[in-house]
């Protein structure tokens, strides 16, 4: 069921277990890559290599973590790409970003499963992961050192570092939005959101889920006329 009553509230299924597991594999990979990459980036941060058992372990593990990230995000991309194509409503939503930040979401157009900002994060991460992986191959000396010139490897280091910084900024925005919009975290921890949250933030998506789902009124006593949807 996509939409159902649970105790005294209506909930909407947002992410199945397989998507949540893959999301957290991607997230953990990004965290480990950030720490290990920082340790290799500058001598002042080399102490971070102690989390991985020293510098040699860090240098060996970092590129393989990149492979895990690419694999997990590829699956995530396949699972989510159909919801992230840009639409005219996303352009209008972005133009009204001031209403979003001030909490006047009643002024916004109805949107689907993801808003314009979420779609920008999705495509930014897609592009940056590709750039990070390709540049990472260029500077993976153990396996590909003989395949590229010194000049190409130097350029690879610069591109890899710039892409990593950009990725870190995108991830910070993604995490901030997850905490800023109350009720969002439960989507990736429990797999569901409240009906009130879905109605407020993704009304067009909720309408589609309601058409496919079932609300079983027997699961909860009737709600009062003055009751408001939970956030």
């Amino acid at each position: 069921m996509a939409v159902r009553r649970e105790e005294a509230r209506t909930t909407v299924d947002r992410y199945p277990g397989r998507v949540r597991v893959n999301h957290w594999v991607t997230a953990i990979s990004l965290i480990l890559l950030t720490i290990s990459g920082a340790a290799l980036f500058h001598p002042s941060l080399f102490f971070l290599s102690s989390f991985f058992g020293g510098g040699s372990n860090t240098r060996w593990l970092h590129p393989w973590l990149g492979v895990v990230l690419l694999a997990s995000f590829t699956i995530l991309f396949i699972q989510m790409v159909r919801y992230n194509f840009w639409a005219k409503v996303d352009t209008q939503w972005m133009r009204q970003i001031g209403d979003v930040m001030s909490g006047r979401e009643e002024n916004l157009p109805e949107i689907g499963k993801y808003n314009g900002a979420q779609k920008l994060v999705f495509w930014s991460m897609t592009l940056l992961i590709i750039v990070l992986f390709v540049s990472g191959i260029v500077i993976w000396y153990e396996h590909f050192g003989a395949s590229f010139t010194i000049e190409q490897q130097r350029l690879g280091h610069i591109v890899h570092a710039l892409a990593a910084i950009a990725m870190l900024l995108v991830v910070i925005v993604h995490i901030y939005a997850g905490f800023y919009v109350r009720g969002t975290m439960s989507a990736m921890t429990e797999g569901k959101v409240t009906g009130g949250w879905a109605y407020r933030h993704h009304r067009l998506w909720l309408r589609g889920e309601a058409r496919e789902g079932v609300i079983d009124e027997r699961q909860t006593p009737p709600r009062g006329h003055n009751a408001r949807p939970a956030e």
Side-chain angles (χ1 to χ4, degrees), residues 38-115:
L40 300 173
F41 179 73
H42 195 272
S44 65
L45 298 173
F46 188 72
F47 71 93
L48 294 172
S49 64
S50 61
F51 288 104
F52 306 97
S56 59
N57 286 342
T58 304
R59 281 186 288 272
W60 172 84
L61 186 61
H62 182 79
W64 286 110
L65 287 171
V67 173
V68 173
L69 173 65
L70 179 69
S72 62
F73 189 82
T74 298
I75 298 172
L76 205 63
F77 180 89
I78 294 171
Q79 292 169 331
M80 295 184 172
V81 65
R82 66 183 182 274
Y83 303 113
N84 280 280
F85 293 113
W86 198 262
K88 289 183 179 179
V89 68
D90 299 314
T91 302
Q92 182 60 38
W93 189 92
M94 291 298 296
R95 287 174 179 167
Q96 296 181 240
I97 196 69
D99 288 326
V100 177
M101 301 305 295
S102 59
R104 298 190 299 268
E105 297 198 32
E106 67 277 3
N107 299 332
L108 297 171
E110 293 187 359
I111 57 173
K113 189 167 186 176
Y114 300 113
N115 57 47

